[in-house]
Structure formats: structure tokens, C-alpha cells
Amino acid sequence: MELLQSMVQSGREYFLNSAVWNGALNTLISLLCSERIRRKDHILKTIWTLCAGQRDVARMLCTPNTIRGLSSILADPSYSMNTQMEVCRVLFKICAISRKGKDVKIALQDYCLPRVSELIHQSKSEHQKQASSPQQQPCVMSIEQNVWAICAAIISLLARDSTLCCHIIFQAGVLLHCVRLLTESCEYRLCKQLLDATASYASCS
């Protein structure tokens, strides 16, 4: 695993292509979804590197089992915020795929949305503390702030794809804070998308 990680993180296209098309990615997905493996940090780092470097990887990860495996790590205090940020980035790429099967949408709703919403809730008090801190630099986002912003972006994509997700977003009470996080991270397109989707849902409900 360490050798594969070193090869992939070198950024060489040959290693990236080989890992994807010669079966290494499929093995990584199996390890990610295995309940026997307790620590999955190295697996996640390698998957994220492949996902960032290869266009087709997100589509290959677009399965209910993979989504469940990724989502189980979010809001888990045993994993560092760096690791959770990598998970959020992979889930964002999966959510950004415009055409997804019904089973994938259900998995995102059942596994991803609750964990992302939990992180959004956790961020509220911490966000207030950081915003009021005199040492806070306005143009620099901490790792935690990046995680929260990506979570808000994921919620925007889920709202775009599903009216049921819009309902859950309202019930969870995370809409206002998501708008705040997206605005502060200058993700205005995603913020508008979230507001449009939830406004459309509210007008029909």
C-alpha cells in the first residue's frame, strides 16, 4: 500500500493510469468498504489522489457501497480533518456527476447527507468562535473551514438532484448555515443553485 501510494502521489501519468486500469483502484475500493480494516487513511489518500488526477475515477466510485464506505468516515473523530477533507472532496466529485442511477442517489441521501449535515451542525459553534477570533485571517481558510465549505457544496448538489434531499435539508435546519458557508468561501454559483433548488421545493410543497 505504501509503495502504491508513493507511485500515485508522484503524479506521473503512467502510474495514475496503471492504478486505474490495471485493477488497483478496484482493490482500493474493496479495502475501503471492508469492515475488517479499521484505519483507512492511506487508502483514502490514494483514492483521492487518483480521483483528482483522473477524470473517470469519480464515475468508477459512483456506487452505493463506495458511497457508504466514504460517508462512514465523515464526522468520525478518530479520523483527522485532513482525511475527512479528502473524503469530502471525493464525495463532491461523485455528487457533481450529472447522471447518476437511482440507487446512487438513494445512497447519497441515506449515507452521505446525514453525515454531511452532522458536520455542518458541528461547525456552527466552531465557526462562530473562529469568526470572532482576533487572530483570524480573513483570506485564509483553515482545514476545518474547508471541510465545512465542501460539505455545504455537497448539500447544494444533493438539493439540485433530489426534492427529497431538499426536504431533509429543511428538516435538518442546515440551509441558512450552508448559505453562509458557501458565501464566505465565494462559491456563489453553488449558493444560488442551493437557493434555487430549495425555493422551488418550498413553492411546491
Side-chain angles (χ1 to χ4, degrees), residues 73-158:
I73 292 162
L74 294 180
D76 184 339
S78 67
Y79 286 96
S80 69
M81 292 304 288
N82 278 316
T83 297
Q84 295 195 44
M85 182 165 64
E86 290 166 353
V87 174
C88 285
R89 285 172 171 170
V90 174
L91 285 169
F92 176 81
K93 283 185 171 287
I94 292 173
C95 291
I97 296 172
S98 56
R99 294 184 179 180
K100 296 185 285 290
K102 183 178 180 180
D103 57 341
V104 171
K105 290 182 178 180
I106 291 173
L108 288 169
Q109 167 198 303
D110 290 348
Y111 300 113
C112 178
L113 182 55
R115 292 298 185 110
V116 168
S117 296
E118 184 176 347
L119 280 171
I120 293 292
H121 276 299
Q122 290 177 6
S123 78
K124 289 182 180 180
S125 59
E126 291 299 322
H127 180 268
Q128 291 173 354
K129 291 178 185 177
Q130 292 188 14
S132 61
S133 173
Q135 298 178 349
Q136 182 74 11
Q137 300 180 36
C139 296
V140 178
M141 292 180 67
S142 66
I143 295 173
E144 289 85 358
Q145 288 172 320
N146 273 294
V147 169
W148 303 334
I150 300 170
C151 286
I154 288 172
I155 285 180
S156 174
L157 294 174
L158 294 176

Side-chain angles (χ1 to χ4, degrees), residues 15-33:
F15 291 144
L16 294 171
N17 289 337
S18 295
V20 174
W21 302 116
N22 290 332
L25 178 62
N26 292 331
T27 301
L28 290 170
I29 293 172
S30 298
L31 294 172
L32 173 70
C33 297

Side-chain angles (χ1 to χ4, degrees), residues 169-186:
I169 289 166
F170 275 111
Q171 292 296 315
V174 297
L175 177 59
L176 178 60
H177 197 53
C178 284
V179 169
R180 183 183 295 117
L181 291 170
L182 290 171
T183 302
E184 290 180 355
S185 59
C186 301

